[in-house]
Amino acid sequence: MQYVAPIRDIQFVMHELLDSQSHYSKLSAYAELDTDTINSYLEAAADFAQSVIAPLNRTGDIEGCQFDHGVVTTPTGFKEAYAQYCKLGFPAINAEPEFGGLGLPVSLSSAVSEMMGTANWSFAMYPGLSHGAIQTIEHHGTEVQKATYLEKMNTGAWSGTMCLTESHAGSDLGIIKTRAVPNEDGSYAITGQKIFISAGEHDLTENIIHIVLARLPDAPAGTKGISLFIVPKFIVNDDGSVGERNTVSCGSIEHKMGIKASATCVMNFDHAKGYLIGPKNRGLNAMFTFMNVARLGTAIQGLAASELAFQGSLTYAKERTAMRALSGVKEPNKPADSIIHHPAVRNMLLTQKAFSEGGRALVYYLSYFADTVAKGENPSEVKFADEMLSLLTPIAKAFLTETGLEAANMGVQVYGGHGYISEWGMEQNLRDTRISCLYEGTTEIQALDLLGRKVLGSQGRMLANFTKIIHKFCQENADNDEVGQMITTLAKLNKQWSDLTSRIAMQSTLNPEAVGAAAVDYLYFSGYVTLGYLWARTAILAKAKLAEFDGDLGTDKSLQGEYGFYDAKVKTAEFYFAKLMPRHLVHVARINTGFDSLMAMDAEQFAF
């Protein structure tokens, strides 16, 4: 299949639903950024994604990365595409101008990242990891470290990684074993092994800057004893040039289910020279800068999977014929009707569409808060935006990747037997997106983060920030007869969200296992309500736009297209509330059954 960037919908979400001009006007750093400028970047990104990296998606999957004695070679065409990506300035979009960046907002770079990722997720991972490394150095590095690394990383000449995971320690970073011993020159000797390091070694850039978690010799146990280090592949000379090779090497690359054109590496550090970034024993705090960027990036992968599945499924469903529609012949010039006329197929297509377009709204909604956190000048507004990001990031990361996986699976289903065959692209999308539910914290970890740390940990304050927004929205639109049922449903579930939270909090005072037992269902419930809020907003806006059309559309194709666009928005919102929102009932029922059935057996009883 050939990916087509959904520019019209991207512009709708940015400019109409989220009102980009009003948003940017409140931030002095972006006050002069106009719609035409934003659109020019979007169009350039769309062209690059469609014409340059989308054609490499399947060939990259077939060829994969090659490993030879520590040297990793990316698939044919990747190196040239990456050079073009850098020449167009994409790595520097939201980097600081003083370090070679363009100084544009996170919200714009998120839209660009969506198009790159949907076209070719494996390719997008190489520059994608660099963004988090750059932000970590920007926020926590010394002035010397910033001057040494940032400009080369912002131009894409150098790339970055995050080195957290060890073979015995996945999400439990408190038990990592990598050591950092002080050297006489103020640097540190880093020794240990990290696994699952995306883009840990490749042939796209002249240097790779690793951000590594390690322990100092006198560090306290657990997460309070972790420090963060910059470990370059090549030592950087005083004049900024690349110097001698550091003692960090790639031991192997993983043979994976998907994202095969992205090198996932085992990295060995053998007394490698590293440089402390941030305070000693506070590395995990600094690393969360990286993790939050990565989690938002992974949410984009869920969105990308839904979009790619929808595009492929829609094309196939319009072309593939099978049987006659139950309500009568739809295409008399054909021996059978296209499968898009069958309700079961439409259910899958509309589910993909609702998750894709709703997911886009959620990712961009978060990225607008990220803009405020980065460039806001009012402390109370920055704090509010930061807390909204904290609450919504685990929802976006987990819910959008799980629904992205569902949409990708439906992509295979719509194609039937052809979906199981590689040439059509649906099985690759399914394989590529499966990892999104695992890395940067599994769905189960995100659920615990949401319920345990963000909601209960803040005594409900973070949740109240959002439920108040939804409550106000529902009050303001209570008399809107055209979307009355949506508003009634949303208001009811918004209240239920708070009631569920209180119930779980009370249960947890009797047994803390109540939180773990309810967390995943609570996250799904939260996801459906959050997307419901955005779809209700979309429906109201689309209804208002439809009301502006005056009479007969005639033969004006452009006018007909715009009317159809807004009408489809309303109908997709109605489908979401009719067919997808009721899923919340299952999750509420599961939460209400408590945790007894989960914890009743002893561990030994699981044996067979």
Side-chain angles (χ1 to χ4, degrees):
M1 64 162 290
Q2 177 59 47
Y3 167 67
V4 178
I7 282 289
R8 179 65 186 93
D9 198 56
I10 289 172
Q11 292 172 336
F12 167 79
V13 175
M14 291 190 72
H15 304 323
E16 299 177 63
L17 182 65
L18 301 179
D19 191 2
S20 61
Q21 285 304 109
S22 175
H23 167 68
Y24 295 138
S25 69
K26 297 174 184 176
L27 304 171
S28 59
Y30 309 133
E32 297 182 5
L33 187 59
D34 58 35
T35 301
D36 288 342
T37 301
I38 296 169
N39 287 343
S40 68
Y41 279 100
L42 295 176
E43 289 161 7
D47 180 65
F48 177 81
Q50 293 170 171
S51 62
V52 179
I53 61 173
L56 299 176
N57 192 38
R58 182 164 181 262
T59 59
D61 179 64
I62 294 170
E63 185 177 333
C65 290
Q66 305 301 312
F67 177 81
D68 183 18
H69 296 88
V71 176
V72 175
T73 305
T74 54
T76 302
F78 270 52
K79 194 169 185 176
E80 294 77 11
Y82 181 79
Q84 188 174 345
Y85 175 88
C86 295
K87 186 176 180 180
L88 290 168
F90 291 127
I93 285 181
N94 67 314
E96 295 296 332
E98 63 181 303
F99 300 114
L102 300 178
L104 294 168
V106 175
S107 50
L108 177 56
S109 66
S110 293
V112 170
S113 295
E114 181 208 328
M115 288 185 275
M116 301 300 175
T118 313
N120 190 328
W121 189 260
S122 286
F123 177 90
M125 289 188 71
Y126 290 100
L129 272 295
S130 294
H131 294 316
I134 288 167
Q135 289 201 21
T136 302
I137 297 172
E138 278 184 356
H139 285 82
H140 305 288
T142 65
E143 293 305 312
V144 172
Q145 289 171 341
K146 293 176 185 178
T148 301
Y149 300 105
L150 288 181
E151 186 166 350
K152 289 291 184 69
M153 295 178 75
N154 285 332
T155 62
W158 298 352
S159 61
T161 74
M162 52 191 296
C163 297
L164 288 74
T165 307
E166 299 181 8
S167 57
H168 64 286
S171 297
D172 188 0
L173 297 173
I175 58 175
I176 65 168
K177 297 179 180 179
T178 299
R179 308 295 292 175
V181 178
N183 293 323
E184 291 183 1
D185 63 359
S187 65
Y188 293 81
I190 313 296
T191 302
Q193 185 181 81
K194 300 289 186 177
I195 66 169
F196 300 158
I197 309 306
S198 298
E201 179 61 34
H202 54 78
D203 58 354
L204 304 181
T205 62
E206 65 177 2
N207 204 358
I208 302 174
I209 311 304
H210 303 287
I211 306 295
V212 185
L213 287 180
R215 289 187 176 281
L216 295 168
D218 57 351
T223 57
K224 294 181 179 179
I226 299 175
S227 298
L228 192 64
F229 300 87
I230 298 172
V231 184
K233 175 181 175 180
F234 291 95
I235 303 298
V236 180
N237 296 323
D238 292 340
D239 63 359
S241 62
V242 172
E244 65 180 10
R245 177 69 186 259
N246 204 353
T247 51
V248 52
S249 62
C250 178
S252 63
I253 60 174
E254 303 295 348
H255 303 283
K256 307 187 298 284
M257 176 180 178
I259 54 170
K260 294 184 177 182
S262 171
T264 304
C265 305
V266 174
M267 299 303 298
N268 297 316
F269 298 85
D270 185 11
H271 295 87
K273 181 170 284 192
Y275 308 91
L276 182 69
I277 178 170
K280 294 179 180 179
N281 303 324
R282 299 281 292 172
L284 205 55
N285 301 74
M287 182 59 87
F288 269 113
T289 300
F290 204 147
M291 290 294 292
N292 287 333
V293 172
R295 284 171 178 168
L296 182 57
T298 307
I300 291 173
Q301 186 178 5
L303 156 60
S306 293
E307 177 65 33
L308 195 63
F310 173 62
Q311 287 195 18
S313 298
L314 180 61
T315 300
Y316 188 79
K318 287 180 176 180
E319 296 173 352
R320 175 70 169 178
T321 57
M323 301 176 289
R324 290 297 186 187
L326 297 176
S327 57
V329 176
K330 304 299 182 184
E331 298 171 282
N333 60 322
K334 296 180 181 179
D337 292 324
S338 300
I339 62 173
I340 196 170
H341 297 293
H342 301 317
V345 174
R346 288 199 164 214
N347 180 64
M348 291 186 282
L349 291 172
L350 281 164
T351 298
Q352 292 169 327
K353 183 177 174 66
F355 285 148
S356 173
E357 295 177 10
R360 180 172 297 114
L362 178 54
V363 166
Y364 293 12
Y365 185 59
L366 262 69
S367 70
Y368 276 42
F369 286 120
D371 289 342
T372 301
V373 170
K375 296 297 180 181
E377 297 164 4
N378 183 313
S380 62
E381 291 178 358
V382 171
K383 180 183 178 184
F384 180 82
D386 189 48
E387 291 193 346
M388 286 292 287
L389 267 178
S390 294
L391 174 78
L392 294 175
T393 294
I395 296 174
K397 192 279 176 186
F399 187 74
L400 294 189
T401 55
E402 291 288 352
T403 55
L405 180 63
E406 179 181 349
N409 194 42
M410 285 179 172
V412 174
Q413 194 75 7
V414 169
Y415 276 74
H418 291 291
Y420 203 67
I421 296 171
S422 299
E423 285 81 355
W424 295 90
M426 292 295 99
E427 64 87 31
Q428 182 188 340
N429 187 36
L430 181 59
R431 287 187 289 105
D432 284 351
T433 198
R434 185 62 185 89
I435 186 62
S436 67
C437 303
L438 305 177
Y439 57 20
E440 313 310 335
T442 64
T443 298
E444 291 72 21
I445 291 290
Q446 299 301 320
L448 287 171
D449 179 49
L450 171 65
L451 178 56
R453 293 183 67 246
K454 305 299 173 56
V455 176
L456 299 181
S458 68
Q459 287 77 50
R461 186 188 71 257
M462 286 189 184
L463 178 62
N465 286 343
F466 190 37
T467 55
K468 287 177 183 176
I469 291 174
I470 299 176
H471 178 69
K472 182 180 179 181
F473 168 78
C474 291
Q475 281 189 320
E476 291 172 347
N477 293 281
D479 297 327
N480 190 327
D481 294 336
E482 291 189 310
V483 292
Q485 188 58 52
M486 291 185 200
I487 299 301
T488 300
T489 299
L490 183 60
K492 177 184 176 182
L493 294 185
N494 191 46
K495 182 180 182 302
Q496 189 172 19
W497 200 353
S498 298
D499 294 342
L500 272 178
T501 304
S502 298
R503 192 179 313 149
I504 295 168
M506 291 181 63
Q507 291 173 346
S508 69
T509 62
L510 301 176
N511 191 324
E513 300 287 7
V515 175
V520 173
D521 287 296
Y522 183 89
L523 185 142
Y524 272 103
F525 178 92
S526 304
Y528 284 114
V529 176
T530 300
L531 247 63
Y533 163 65
L534 292 167
W535 268 117
R537 281 183 59 175
T538 297
I540 289 172
L541 175 59
K543 285 275 189 180
K545 292 290 186 180
L546 288 172
E548 295 175 6
F549 287 86
D550 186 21
D552 185 12
L553 301 177
T555 59
D556 188 327
K557 296 293 185 182
S558 176
L559 202 62
Q560 291 173 355
E562 282 296 284
Y563 186 92
F565 175 84
Y566 292 116
D567 190 45
K569 283 291 183 186
V570 174
K571 290 173 179 174
T572 307
E574 290 170 346
F575 169 83
Y576 182 86
F577 274 85
K579 295 296 186 181
L580 297 180
M581 191 68 104
R583 293 181 180 186
H584 82 276
L585 293 168
V586 173
H587 299 294
V588 171
R590 284 169 55 88
I591 290 171
N592 289 340
T593 60
F595 55 86
D596 290 343
S597 63
L598 289 174
M599 309 307 293
M601 283 199 297
D602 293 331
E604 290 75 16
Q605 290 181 282
F606 280 90
F608 54 87

